Amino acid sequence: MNPRVDTFLSEATQWREEFTELRRIILDCGLTEELKWGHPCYTFQGSNTVLIHGFKEYCAILFCKGALLKDAKGILIQQTENVQAARQVRFTKVGEIVKLGPTLKAYIREAIEAEKAGLKVEYKKTSEFKMPEEFKNKLEENPALKTAFKALTPGRQRAYLLYFAAAKQSKTREARIEKCQAQILKGKGLTDE
């Protein structure tokens, strides 16, 4: 048990009982407990395996490579269509967690076996993501922007493409592109400072 997670739990204002039960189940599976991104994270030989997190409407256990799991019970949720690897199991009451305890342990063991086997999630290539017309035009108009965008890591490129494409109106897409140009030219990602 990690003292930083103890602190996290003692400070939790919502889902404390649920987090505690998820923690108990996960630790029974022999994973290493850490605190990453402000959440309890459980690793196997240094690889992130599961994470506990809470939202307004629910708390969840997130399987970092959940897309590799068989999901025999049909309980895994893909948060959005753009999430490629991770899958969640969501809860609103501690009783739901207790009831699913044996199933969660089986899924955790399967996730550990996937890590042992060195399995990897096949990610879509950046070229498979839709590039908004407004951004295509901007790249054609500005060769320096095109070069800078191509030099970004695939993850940073995807983040920009998803952010631009999420806007429903062309005007909003153009505004987002305009706002992000300097960041791209500096070689920075969407969330970098």
Side-chain angles (χ1 to χ4, degrees), residues 18-45:
E18 289 80 4
F19 289 160
T20 301
E21 182 61 19
L22 285 169
R23 179 190 203 193
R24 186 192 64 72
I25 289 168
I26 296 166
L27 288 175
D28 277 353
C29 296
L31 294 173
T32 302
E33 184 175 63
E34 301 179 37
L35 192 71
K36 294 185 179 184
W37 312 287
H39 298 282
C41 180
Y42 300 85
T43 63
F44 176 77
Q45 296 178 348

Side-chain angles (χ1 to χ4, degrees), residues 113-161:
E113 289 305 314
E115 287 299 333
K116 284 180 183 176
L119 299 179
K120 304 277 185 214
V121 174
E122 290 292 324
Y123 290 100
K124 287 181 5 184
K125 292 179 178 31
T126 302
S127 60
E128 295 177 62
F129 285 84
K130 182 180 185 296
M131 183 179 289
E133 221 34 63
E134 296 85 355
F135 191 52
K136 280 184 196 172
N137 295 339
K138 189 59 80 174
L139 293 177
E140 292 306 315
E141 292 170 15
N142 187 340
L145 182 64
K146 187 174 190 174
T147 301
F149 184 74
K150 285 186 176 188
L152 294 174
T153 63
R156 287 178 172 168
Q157 289 177 3
R158 282 190 300 271
Y160 280 116
L161 292 176

Side-chain angles (χ1 to χ4, degrees), residues 87-119:
R87 298 293 184 269
Q88 290 181 331
V89 182
R90 297 176 179 174
F91 305 97
T92 56
K93 299 181 187 105
V94 74
E96 297 168 340
I97 298 168
V98 172
K99 184 177 174 185
L100 265 184
T103 300
L104 292 175
K105 284 182 182 182
Y107 276 52
I108 293 166
R109 285 189 209 98
E110 186 182 348
I112 292 168
E113 289 305 314
E115 287 299 333
K116 284 180 183 176
L119 299 179

